[in-house]
Amino acid sequence: MVFKRLLGSLGVGGPTVDTVLDAAPGSGSAAVPGGALTGRVHLKGGGSDFDISEITLELIARVEAETEEGEQHGTVAFERYVVGGGFRLAAETEQVVPFSVVLPWETPVSELYGQPLGIVLGVRTELAVAGAKDKGDLDPLAVGPLPAQEAVLEALGQLGFGFRSADLEYGRIGGTGQQLPFYQEIELSPAPQYAHAVNEIEVTFLAHPGGLEVVLEADKRGGMFTPGHDALTRFTVSHEDVASRDWAGEVDGWVRQLVEHRAAYGTHASYGHHDPYAGGHHGHHDGHHDGHRSGPGMGTAIAAGAAGLAVGVAGGLVAAEVVDEVGDFFEGDDEDDGGDEG
């Protein structure tokens, strides 16, 4: 999906821009957090010469925010790169500007084993021409997991957890090294051995150059007289020793600790999600909540094996929902742009 847009502020006859990413959705060559994103910006001159003062790439994400009015959706720009500029584009000529930039370590994961998770990311190209700035191109961005992230998700799949949904939440998780203004939640149905204790497990990865923070959140099943509450625990792993660890045993220990922690304290853990609007916990005060996008097929159980958690998003209904959402986001960018940026 590539958009070629005439620069509206320059009127008819202005240059056009077409950005092509090397890591395209579905190509099997997704970028990874903290890794390089490469591609080319194709420029085509208009009816006269234009001075291109700056070419900027902007990473944007579709996020959810809890507000007093309820759940809101919008776009957040979370990184900008200047990749070119300072030249004259002659009339009716073409020029290609290659680029290589480094993604933030906390860039969300949008696909697993080639299957989309429902996370909507994009790269927006902006040209500064003759004193005017305009968005010329918007392209979807595919990001795959780091080896440590993939190992944790694979272990959860082998333990019997199932994929429900994934989303980006605007806000911060207290007590962590979070850098971006939002975080990713991957919502899982419980493995059979934990179904009596929790309704779901939510996994958040906060990567950095030295390793990975893994935040686990459990929605406890509330009894007739015991309201369910969230419990959170945090673990840190290194990027270096991924191949040598017993991930299934280690992750199972994490989940057991999470469940036992909640049972022992019966209240929120010290690492709370902070809502930027309400100033408190972001989420699920009344126990179980259905996943934000729990449509048909979202509760599919995950079988152990190489496919891991990706099995849960391989069904036709789920894939269609993801495609519709991505299409709506890119086609409607001009209408809802800017409302929730920051």
Side-chain angles (χ1 to χ4, degrees):
M1 185 188 310
V2 175
F3 295 87
K4 299 177 182 177
R5 297 181 178 177
L6 186 67
L7 293 184
S9 62
L10 300 177
V12 177
T16 57
V17 58
D18 178 14
T19 297
V20 179
L21 303 177
D22 291 337
S27 68
S29 59
V32 297
L37 176 67
T38 60
R40 298 163 303 283
V41 178
H42 295 260
L43 300 170
K44 185 173 182 179
S48 59
D49 296 353
F50 284 90
D51 290 320
I52 310 295
S53 57
E54 194 171 87
I55 305 172
T56 303
L57 301 181
E58 191 173 55
L59 302 185
I60 57 176
R62 184 80 161 182
V63 303
E64 300 178 2
E66 298 288 342
T67 70
E68 294 180 357
E69 292 75 30
E71 189 176 274
Q72 304 290 325
H73 297 259
T75 59
V76 170
F78 62 98
E79 187 62 279
R80 287 174 62 87
Y81 313 90
V82 176
V83 297
F87 61 89
R88 171 162 288 194
L89 182 65
E92 305 299 334
T93 63
E94 297 185 10
Q95 187 157 338
V96 177
V97 179
F99 63 84
S100 178
V101 298
V102 178
L103 294 177
W105 281 95
E106 290 181 15
T107 300
V109 176
S110 66
E111 66 177 48
L112 182 63
Y113 300 109
Q115 297 291 332
L117 299 180
I119 298 299
V120 184
L121 303 175
V123 178
R124 187 160 54 196
T125 306
E126 180 182 89
L127 291 188
V129 183
K133 290 186 178 181
D134 211 329
K135 301 161 190 168
D137 197 15
L138 177 63
D139 297 280
L141 171 63
V143 179
L146 291 163
Q149 294 171 326
E150 183 176 319
V152 172
L153 294 173
E154 173 72 14
L156 287 164
Q158 291 177 355
L159 291 169
F161 288 86
F163 179 87
R164 277 187 175 152
S165 66
D167 56 31
L168 303 181
E169 298 279 349
Y170 188 72
R172 298 187 182 276
I173 304 177
T176 69
Q178 182 182 342
Q179 300 294 312
L180 295 183
F182 58 84
Y183 54 91
Q184 181 174 14
E185 285 186 339
I186 300 174
E187 301 178 1
L188 310 174
S189 59
Q193 63 269 32
Y194 294 111
H196 68 285
V198 296
N199 289 310
E200 72 179 12
I201 297 289
E202 294 179 346
V203 183
T204 294
F205 296 119
L206 298 174
H208 53 84
L212 185 71
E213 288 184 89
V214 183
V215 181
L216 297 182
E217 179 176 3
D219 283 346
K220 184 179 183 298
R221 282 192 187 277
M224 185 175 297
F225 303 106
T226 308
H229 291 282
D230 295 349
L232 295 96
T233 57
R234 183 183 63 159
F235 305 90
T236 302
V237 299
S238 169
H239 297 300
E240 304 301 324
D241 56 352
V242 172
S244 62
R245 300 175 75 148
D246 172 19
W247 285 105
E250 191 164 348
V251 172
D252 189 51
W254 294 353
V255 176
R256 291 182 184 277
Q257 183 174 331
L258 174 66
V259 172
E260 292 168 1
H261 177 85
R262 177 59 189 85
Y265 290 93
T267 185
H268 298 308
S270 58
Y271 300 107
H273 296 255
H274 290 278
D275 183 343
Y277 300 95
H281 196 281
H282 85 292
H284 325 307
H285 304 290
D286 56 355
H288 173 60
H289 70 101
D290 294 323
H292 297 302
R293 297 186 184 87
S294 295
M298 275 295 185
T300 304
I302 305 301
L309 292 169
V311 176
V313 295
L317 288 175
V318 178
E321 289 175 4
V322 172
V323 169
D324 287 345
E325 182 178 342
V326 172
D328 291 344
F329 172 62
F330 284 99
E331 290 169 8
D333 181 69
D334 289 338
E335 284 73 21
D336 62 6
D337 174 58
D340 294 320
E341 287 193 3

